[in-house]
Amino acid sequence: MSLFWRIFVLDAVGLVVAAALLLGPVTVSTPILPGEVLVVVAGLAALLTVNAVVLRVGLAPLGRLGRAMADADLLHPGARAVVSGPVETAELITTYNAMLDRLETERAASAAGALSAQERERHRIARELHDEVGQTLTAVLLQLKRVADRAPQDLREELGQAQEATRSGLDEIRRIARRLRPGVLNELGLLSALRSLAGEFTTHGLSVRHDLRAGLPPLTEETELVLYRVAQEALTNTARHSGADRAELRLRPVADGVELLVQDNGRGLGAADGEGAGIRGMRERALLIGATLTVSSRADGDGGTGIRLRAAASAGRADAPAPAGGR
């Protein structure tokens, strides 16, 4: 029975009983007697109690729906409100769950388009940096060398400094281009790309140890790219924000696919920090391939932050076997 009819029937019964008492032999004395007061108060209390119970039970699913709506997050898909209650409430909850299904599907499609466009733009910028800016700086470097060979002795030191600055700028541009477009991923495979990535982030202040297991199941190009980008973003966050001096990059096969783990010994995420744009970007990438991304963090400086991504195996090429290694 719907909530409307439940309340209507309850009120109708109360009014019918009241009318029957007024038309029947029951009377109220003037002044009213204590026993009559007790009967009237008891009847009114019973009517209000039943009415409150009916409303409480009927409106409880709406309260659960409100909490589910407040907790809904499209970056954590799959959570749905439990369909229960009267007909109207059940239909409302069902409609809300269907709306969430549509929103998650549309968000996944739009995120896929946005990230695809982002990758194309990364490739374009990397190509322009390598072909245009890189070649220009290479020409400048050669020109400075020719000038330095003919310059007086007192100017050669300054020209040498200009050469070193130009060479450093050229190396930085090449490094940026490699991060924008992981050519090693397409050329040598996922394990080699992750091994190279760990080497790039190993600096004087940060040591990145890698443990990359052989025998990975077949993975699609999209899955490999997501794994690489999540590892890259996690190590970038570690280098920039964590204050860590050690990090570990692990990739291993699991029962239903592969698991990537990036763990550092930094200060972790504070309660007030929340998830920044980097972690949200990783979650969006994980949604593209149906992977599960979890973030564990301890703010006491013991344990740091861990980024764990579990991706299912799918039809595609497997990475070439390689021995597990560490550094």
Side-chain angles (χ1 to χ4, degrees), residues 106-269:
E106 293 172 2
R107 182 182 179 88
S110 62
L115 291 176
S116 177
Q118 184 184 80
E119 287 297 329
R120 290 195 299 271
E121 188 67 10
R122 282 172 177 261
H123 288 184
R124 184 188 67 80
I125 295 174
R127 186 171 56 251
E128 291 185 359
L129 285 175
H130 182 272
D131 296 343
E132 301 295 334
V133 182
Q135 290 183 6
T136 300
L137 286 180
T138 301
V140 170
L141 192 60
L142 294 175
Q143 207 168 26
L144 285 173
K145 185 179 183 305
R146 287 195 296 269
V147 172
D149 292 339
R150 298 194 303 266
Q153 188 65 34
D154 56 343
L155 292 179
R156 289 187 178 181
E157 183 177 354
E158 294 183 10
L159 288 172
Q161 294 175 355
Q163 284 179 285
E164 288 301 318
T166 305
R167 189 175 291 109
S168 298
L170 183 59
D171 291 341
E172 182 64 23
I173 285 176
R174 288 172 177 169
R175 185 160 49 250
I176 293 173
R178 283 196 302 271
R179 291 185 181 180
L180 287 172
R181 183 179 59 184
V184 67
L185 180 61
N186 297 326
E187 296 167 4
L188 301 179
L190 179 61
L191 295 182
S192 296
L194 292 177
R195 200 173 291 114
S196 174
L197 186 66
E200 289 181 16
F201 278 92
T202 297
T203 62
H204 296 293
L206 178 65
S207 174
V208 181
R209 179 182 179 276
H210 59 74
D211 181 11
L212 308 173
R213 305 290 178 88
L216 296 180
L219 302 172
T220 63
E221 292 183 359
E222 291 79 8
T223 300
E224 290 188 351
L225 181 60
V226 168
L227 289 167
Y228 179 86
R229 289 300 189 199
V230 168
Q232 184 182 48
E233 185 63 37
L235 288 175
T236 299
N237 287 346
T238 295
R240 290 180 180 175
H241 308 299
S242 72
D245 59 5
R246 296 191 310 277
E248 184 177 9
L249 173 62
R250 281 191 282 171
L251 180 67
R252 63 188 181 94
V254 292
D256 55 347
V258 295
E259 181 182 79
L260 173 75
L261 173 66
V262 181
Q263 179 76 46
D264 64 53
N265 67 336
R267 55 177 170 265
L269 296 174

Side-chain angles (χ1 to χ4, degrees), residues 9-80:
V9 169
L10 176 63
D11 291 341
V13 169
L15 292 174
V16 169
V17 171
L21 291 176
L22 289 176
L23 298 175
V26 179
T27 59
V28 178
S29 304
T30 304
I32 189 170
L33 299 176
E36 296 172 343
V37 172
L38 182 61
V39 171
V40 172
V41 170
L44 181 60
L47 182 62
L48 292 176
T49 300
V50 174
N51 200 21
V53 170
V54 170
L55 289 175
R56 187 71 156 176
V57 173
L59 296 179
L62 290 178
R64 292 195 293 271
L65 175 61
R67 290 190 292 272
M69 294 173 70
D71 296 337
D73 186 352
L74 294 181
L75 290 179
H76 299 79
R80 295 292 182 269

